[in-house]
Amino acid sequence: MTVDVLRRPAPADRRARVAVAVLFFINGALFANLLPRYPQIKADLGIGNAAYGLAVAAFPAGAITAGLAAGILVRRFGSARVAVGGTLLTGAGILAAGLADSVAVFAGALFLAGAMDAFTDVAQNAHGLRVQRRYGRSIINSFHAVWSIGAVTGGSMAAAAIALGVPRGPHLLFSAVVFAVAACVALRYCLPGPETDTGAAGEAGKAGEAGETGETDAGDGAASPKRAPATGLRTGWVLAALVLIATAGTLVEDAGMSWATLYLSDSLHATAALAASGYVGLVGAQFVGRIVGDRLVDRFGQRTVARSGALIAAVGMGLALAVPTVPGTVLGFAAAGFGVATLVPAAMHEADELPGLKPGSGLTLVSWLMRLGFLLSPPAVGLVADATSLRVGLLVVPFAGLIVLACGGVLRSRRG
């Protein structure tokens, strides 16, 4: 019988974990400060749902365009520097979008912000996985939980600014400056050294030098045994399924980001401040799901957790759309957020350990391709909304749950 002995993380590793958590928090808060302002921007620009959907799709379009370059930048400058640099430029793009006086400027600013956010996303996840390997156990869900806290904080900041009558310019400038300073401070405490020391084997060697013994069996955690060798066809199928699972998560997130506020304010006639609660409810419940996610995965397995969450999201949002009320819709978005909480972290972690690929390739591909959900969803929902209603367009959320139910079999089940 093997006894697992987990190495106690060094002080530098603990500081790096806090620093990465700060970067995730900022990443969630920056864009969430802009989202509740979307109805005002849409009204000021005088555009319809379809044009609005195309405009906000510029953000994921920028991410798709620039996403594959993230790996090159990380190898050249280091994941921590790329994450912070991307954060600063994302804040600038969001500020420009908030001040835009034309659809072209609005879309262009979102395109820039999306491109920089893609760099930040890959870099902060890469650095988070690097810290995770130092810990020898799963902590990646906790980083994404902190992202959700940041999104709730940012959305709440925006709701408060709207309620107090603070103009978009001063509000978004304050947000950009505060979070830029915080990101620069966090950079000081990230892990030093080249990215080439982050491989599982390299980190295991460091753990061995520190006195770690035995093999860690953490369920679906960071130090789980490697998968058996797979054929190229099998690897391609698993990677495609992981992309679909992650994309399903992004479809739900985009529904909250791009449409929750509009649906509550325009279709259900909620006040501007109350309309922001749809998105806040989604990311708030997503935070709860990510906080308990690691324990649930360890106990029941990633596959069961993902499929159960998908069912919760599909049924919860389906009921909210079937019986449209303001409280019911907020609860529906909350159910959706809770249901998809672990999907993106799970897909990234599984892809990062997928055999047959170079280190980091699976993570980069999943992070890049899942943004197709953000790219395709806004114009698709907008077109459906103009042809029928936004209520019908939001059926994309239950549909995302069905995708996970169909593809969840590629995720790992709990080992006995």
Side-chain angles (χ1 to χ4, degrees):
M1 180 176 180
T2 300
V3 178
D4 299 334
V5 180
L6 295 180
R7 178 176 65 91
R8 185 178 181 85
D13 298 335
R14 292 196 294 269
R15 288 194 295 269
R17 181 178 182 178
V18 173
V20 174
V22 169
L23 293 177
F24 270 83
F25 177 90
I26 294 169
N27 187 247
L30 269 177
F31 197 50
N33 267 277
L34 177 65
L35 295 176
R37 296 287 193 172
Y38 272 0
Q40 296 174 340
I41 295 173
K42 179 175 179 289
D44 290 346
L45 296 178
I47 55 178
N49 286 325
Y52 166 79
L54 289 170
V56 298
F59 186 91
I64 289 289
T65 302
L68 287 181
I72 299 173
L73 292 175
V74 166
R75 288 190 292 271
R76 176 66 178 84
F77 299 105
S79 55
R81 291 177 180 174
V82 173
V84 172
T87 296
L88 301 183
L89 292 174
T90 299
I94 289 171
L95 175 61
L99 298 176
D101 57 1
S102 69
V103 177
V105 174
F106 178 58
L110 287 180
F111 185 92
L112 169 65
M116 297 303 103
D117 182 72
F119 297 156
T120 301
D121 185 43
V122 171
Q124 70 184 10
N125 274 286
H127 208 78
L129 288 170
R130 184 179 173 189
V131 174
Q132 176 173 272
R133 285 188 284 266
R134 295 284 190 101
Y135 269 67
R137 57 184 172 85
S138 177
I139 59 173
I140 190 65
N141 276 308
S142 69
F143 291 135
H144 286 262
V146 172
W147 183 95
S148 297
I149 297 176
V152 171
T153 302
S156 300
M157 288 172 61
I162 292 171
L164 294 173
V166 179
R168 287 198 301 270
H171 159 220
L172 294 175
L173 177 61
F174 173 80
S175 170
V177 171
V178 168
F179 292 129
V181 172
C184 291
V185 172
L187 178 61
R188 295 184 55 194
Y189 299 99
C190 289
L191 294 175
E195 297 301 311
T196 53
D197 72 347
T198 62
E203 294 298 339
K206 292 178 182 178
E209 292 173 3
E212 181 180 7
T213 61
E215 291 183 4
T216 301
D217 184 359
D220 291 317
S224 56
K226 290 184 177 180
R227 294 172 183 241
T231 64
L233 182 61
R234 169 66 179 170
T235 298
W237 152 244
V238 172
L239 183 62
L242 292 175
V243 169
L244 286 174
I245 290 170
T247 301
T250 64
L251 287 174
V252 175
E253 290 183 17
D254 178 74
M257 288 191 301
S258 300
W259 301 105
T261 304
L262 281 175
Y263 179 63
L264 284 162
S265 62
D266 292 354
S267 300
L268 301 184
H269 310 295
T271 63
L274 182 59
S277 62
Y279 176 68
V280 172
L282 184 146
V283 295
Q286 189 178 58
F287 160 71
V288 175
R290 286 171 172 173
I291 282 292
V292 302
D294 286 324
R295 292 184 179 180
L296 291 175
V297 166
D298 286 341
R299 181 170 183 180
F300 301 108
Q302 193 66 260
R303 184 185 305 168
T304 300
V305 172
R307 282 178 163 169
S308 298
L311 188 61
I312 291 172
V315 173
M317 195 63 194
L319 289 173
L321 293 173
V323 187
T325 64
V326 171
T329 298
V330 173
L331 290 175
F333 276 111
F338 182 83
V340 304
T342 65
L343 295 186
V344 172
M348 286 183 168
H349 174 249
E350 294 278 330
D352 199 46
E353 294 192 341
L354 197 61
L357 298 175
K358 294 180 180 179
S361 296
L363 171 63
T364 300
L365 286 171
V366 167
S367 179
W368 182 60
L369 291 173
M370 76 177 186
R371 291 179 178 271
L372 287 173
F374 287 117
L375 176 64
L376 300 177
S377 178
V381 173
L383 289 171
V384 172
D386 278 349
T388 55
S389 68
L390 185 51
R391 180 182 171 193
V392 175
L394 286 174
L395 287 173
V396 67
V397 176
F399 176 71
L402 297 179
I403 292 176
V404 178
L405 288 172
C407 299
V410 300
L411 299 172
R412 302 184 205 188
S413 60
R414 184 175 65 90
R415 288 191 299 273

